Amino acid sequence: MLDHTRKEASCQAEGAGSVRELIGFLGDRYGGAFAAFLLDDETCLFLINGAATATLGGLDAPLRPGDEIDVLPFVDGG
């Protein structure tokens, strides 16, 4: 995933009120292909302060100032 983000492991996204808005911010910053990658339900898991967004409202889960969002790509293999 760092290939998409110019090797940046983190960034600040002030003003994003939901995970969906965060993805829009990241798409503006790193390109539409990265946003499409994040929107694919089968490629990433989003955590807000350690809790999966699936239990918090999915992509419409609200974000608050100071929240830490982790984007974890799924990995195949065994």
Side-chain angles (χ1 to χ4, degrees), residues 4 6-7 13 25 38 40 44 46-48 50 53 56-57 59:
H4 294 285
R6 296 180 226 124
K7 306 293 183 209
F25 169 85
L38 295 176
D40 183 346
C44 294
F46 292 88
L47 303 176
I48 301 173
T53 56
L56 302 171
L59 295 179

Side-chain angles (χ1 to χ4, degrees), residues 5 12-13 22 26 29 34 45 47 49 51 60 67 72-73 77-78:
T5 62
Q12 297 289 321
L22 173 64
L26 294 172
R29 185 172 177 132
F34 184 57
L45 172 69
L47 303 176
N49 301 319
D60 295 315
D67 281 347
L72 306 174

Side-chain angles (χ1 to χ4, degrees), residues 18-44:
S18 68
V19 174
R20 191 178 309 278
E21 289 179 17
L22 173 64
I23 291 171
F25 169 85
L26 294 172
D28 290 344
R29 185 172 177 132
Y30 302 114
F34 184 57
F37 171 79
L38 295 176
L39 286 169
D40 183 346
D41 289 343
E42 297 180 12
T43 60
C44 294

